[in-house]
Amino acid sequence: SPSPSPSPSPSTSNPASPLSPAGDHIAKSNYKIGSGSVAELYDLWAKDYDRDCEDALAFDSPKQMAALFLRLRHYCGSATDPTVVVDVGCGTGLLQRLSSQAPNCEWHGFDLSPGMLEVLEAKGGYKQLHVHSVTDYPWPYPDEFADIVVCNGVLIYVEDPGCLQEFLRVSKPGGHLYFMIREDGLATYWDTMCALERRGAWSLRHMTEPRENMPKQPQSILYRIYVYQKAVATAGGGGN
């Protein structure tokens, strides 16, 4: 796995960058910092994360995923029986905030960074939050828990495509899964994505065209959003 990156220091950040010191440090890694440093660096970035993403980076994929979430309208809950949404790598809750027009949704989330979750907890909007890693199986939810699972900006740090089994496990039959994958990280997941479809575990319902994820930054980072629907009766693809 990649070697850990050193922690950022305000004295060593680029003074010309509009990013915060932690954001500047992570940006210089092309957002592919060593797996051993992810929680530490995102803890440092937490208090400035929303401002950096919205202003300095114009972070595109959360906006596009939320727009797709609202357009496809896979949420169908009521006040007494809400749509359960699990936000994988929820960070400071950008997806929930951008999708807040969706009625009767009950949001749950987990993230590796306690600092990000502290910021999110102060905002509210989620019923339950967990400090948890995407690669720590099982995730903190029972089988067939969620109507919708969303994941934006996390999978570039995950080298185990087996995590897709957890997306399926926690989803209800017929549930929908939205996740963003960078084009430079797709090779890690593509074979497993196709194998799960061949096995009848899920079906691809929507795939966006490639888009620039950080349009205000000099480096090109292309991504797509994939929307799958879990089979009503899986062929061995939905369990552990």
Side-chain angles (χ1 to χ4, degrees), residues 4-231:
S5 303
S7 299
S9 166
S11 62
T12 60
S13 66
N14 179 0
S17 172
L19 287 163
S20 64
D24 186 52
H25 182 83
I26 294 172
K28 287 175 178 175
S29 75
N30 213 24
Y31 307 91
K32 292 180 71 172
I33 53 178
S35 57
S37 300
V38 174
E40 174 191 358
L41 290 173
Y42 275 80
D43 281 348
L44 291 171
W45 198 10
K47 66 181 178 63
D48 296 310
Y49 181 80
D50 287 355
R51 180 187 62 80
D52 281 356
C53 286
E54 294 177 24
D55 299 335
L57 300 173
F59 193 15
D60 189 65
S61 55
K63 301 171 191 173
Q64 296 303 318
M65 185 173 288
L68 194 60
F69 182 89
L70 293 169
R71 179 164 65 84
L72 296 180
R73 298 181 64 86
H74 291 135
Y75 47 89
C76 55
S78 66
T80 56
D81 185 20
T83 298
V84 175
V85 183
V86 167
D87 189 352
V88 178
C90 57
T92 61
L94 276 176
L95 276 178
Q96 187 275 337
R97 181 169 59 79
L98 292 167
S99 306
S100 60
Q101 296 175 42
N104 302 315
C105 289
E106 178 184 285
W107 287 73
H108 298 250
F110 69 91
D111 198 277
L112 185 63
S113 164
M116 300 285 272
L117 293 182
E118 286 179 15
V119 172
L120 174 52
E121 195 160 17
K123 298 178 187 177
Y126 286 67
K127 182 173 183 179
Q128 196 172 39
L129 297 170
H130 300 273
V131 177
H132 198 88
S133 170
V134 172
T135 54
D136 184 4
Y137 310 134
W139 294 349
Y141 309 104
D143 295 355
E144 301 181 0
F145 174 73
D147 297 287
I148 301 172
V149 180
V150 296
C151 180
N152 183 81
V154 176
L155 295 181
I156 195 64
Y157 298 121
V158 179
E159 298 178 354
D160 178 17
C163 71
L164 298 179
Q165 295 281 3
E166 280 295 285
F167 280 84
L168 284 164
R169 182 188 67 79
V170 304
S171 299
K172 295 177 183 178
H176 289 85
L177 307 96
Y178 293 64
F179 51 88
M180 182 273 276
I181 299 182
R182 283 171 42 167
E183 293 285 88
D184 58 344
L186 182 59
T188 300
Y189 291 95
W190 184 248
D191 287 348
T192 301
M193 291 160 64
C194 294
L196 289 170
E197 186 150 25
R198 287 194 301 270
R199 286 162 49 186
W202 66 10
S203 299
L204 181 65
R205 297 304 188 199
H206 191 87
M207 179 178 68
T208 64
E209 293 298 318
R211 290 178 61 97
E212 285 287 351
N213 209 10
M214 310 290 182
K216 287 190 177 180
Q217 293 295 294
Q219 67 269 47
S220 177
I221 301 175
L222 295 173
Y223 75 93
R224 296 178 192 253
I225 296 170
Y226 300 82
V227 181
Y228 283 88
Q229 183 175 23
K230 181 177 175 178

